[in-house]
Amino acid sequence: PFELGSSLGRALLTPTRIYVKPILAALKAGLPIKALAHITGGGFWENIPRVLPAGTIARIDLSAIPVLPVFSWLAKLGGISAHEMLRTFNCGIGMVIVVGADGAEATKAQLVDMGETVVELGSIAPGPDEPYVEPTGALRLDTTGSWAASAR
């Protein structure tokens, strides 16, 4: 129900992508990577703030996340809210890279050249002492049942 030609087991057991080679290449190229957040348990709400300095927030545009069909399927079947989906699952975003605005395009180009899919999620802004994620937009979970139409 979530991707043509795939089984539930295959969709759920897709191995985690390993980002070591592209990240190391970007660092060796001198790209201005300031922080990395691997999106695992704790997801967006806990992992992103861990890499931010005090006095900042991450403004994340949830509508920019290209949600994989399996995540929409899980959300509908389990009655799981978008907030909980982003806490429990990565919804298709495995690594968040914080880059200075002046180096964002070069970093994006290098990662795309290495075969990575890059999604611009938002920006870092001044905030209170304790960093947090300030969501904007809405996570696009297709809970209508037309999962195959959004397969990629």
Side-chain angles (χ1 to χ4, degrees):
F2 36 81
E3 188 167 344
L4 296 175
S6 183
S7 68
L8 173 61
R10 186 177 309 270
L12 294 178
L13 295 175
T14 300
T16 299
R17 288 194 43 80
I18 305 299
Y19 300 98
V20 173
K21 287 182 182 178
I23 297 295
L24 285 176
L27 290 169
K28 286 180 184 174
L31 295 171
I33 294 175
K34 298 178 181 277
L36 301 165
H38 191 212
I39 306 303
T40 59
F44 284 74
W45 313 119
E46 295 173 22
N47 293 340
I48 295 172
R50 286 182 183 137
V51 303
L52 299 177
T56 62
I57 62 169
R59 288 200 175 113
I60 303 293
D61 179 5
L62 301 182
S63 68
I65 298 171
V67 179
L68 299 174
V70 69
F71 294 116
S72 289
W73 183 80
L74 285 169
K76 180 176 182 170
L77 187 69
I80 305 169
S81 71
H83 181 87
E84 186 64 20
M85 287 298 296
L86 288 167
R87 191 186 71 76
T88 306
F89 304 103
N90 67 25
C91 292
I93 302 294
M95 177 72 69
V96 171
I97 303 173
V98 179
V99 179
D102 58 339
E105 287 304 314
T107 303
K108 182 177 180 177
Q110 166 120 8
L111 292 170
V112 168
D113 285 348
M114 294 191 72
E116 297 299 326
T117 300
V118 178
V119 177
E120 205 167 314
L121 292 175
S123 62
I124 306 300
D129 287 340
E130 194 68 32
Y132 66 93
V133 172
E134 178 181 275
T136 64
L139 191 63
R140 294 176 295 152
L141 291 170
D142 176 7
T143 57
T144 64
S146 58
W147 302 288
S150 62
R152 60 177 190 155

